[in-house]
Amino acid sequence: ITIRSHEHLAQAIKRIRKLQGYSQVDLAKKTGLTQATISRVETSSKKVEIGTVILIFTALNADLIITPRPKSTPNSNLEGLF
């Protein structure tokens, strides 16, 4: 999944959580966070700490991989990312 905004990050976390059959409560228990925090992350809150994101990805057994974008990829073309 390519993530280029906080909205994409929120959608990715929600999608992975649901694919693994977890509710927000389940994920909260696995991470030690509150269900309200999981909800806030999944509703595109711009103020999510990277440590929280890493904790969530770890609990979901998912990797967050950061790679440079090819120079030929336009910044504004977000169609088809999901």
Side-chain angles (χ1 to χ4, degrees), residues 4-79:
R4 294 192 180 141
S5 71
H6 60 277
E7 290 95 353
H8 293 160
L9 179 63
Q11 290 170 5
I13 289 171
K14 187 174 184 176
R15 178 182 291 171
I16 293 167
R17 174 181 62 78
K18 286 186 170 191
L19 285 172
Q20 293 189 10
Y22 294 126
S23 68
Q24 287 183 347
V25 172
D26 296 331
L27 184 55
K29 288 178 183 176
K30 286 181 66 81
T31 60
L33 301 170
T34 65
Q35 181 274 329
T37 298
I38 301 299
S39 177
R40 186 173 51 85
V41 169
E42 290 185 355
T43 55
S44 306
S45 174
K46 293 181 183 181
K47 295 186 179 188
V48 177
E49 294 184 18
I50 189 67
T52 300
V53 172
I54 291 170
L55 187 64
I56 290 170
F57 272 90
T58 300
L60 292 172
N61 198 30
D63 293 320
L64 178 61
I65 300 169
I66 300 170
T67 59
R69 191 181 308 164
K71 289 183 179 185
S72 62
T73 303
N75 292 338
S76 61
N77 184 5
L78 300 179
E79 291 295 318

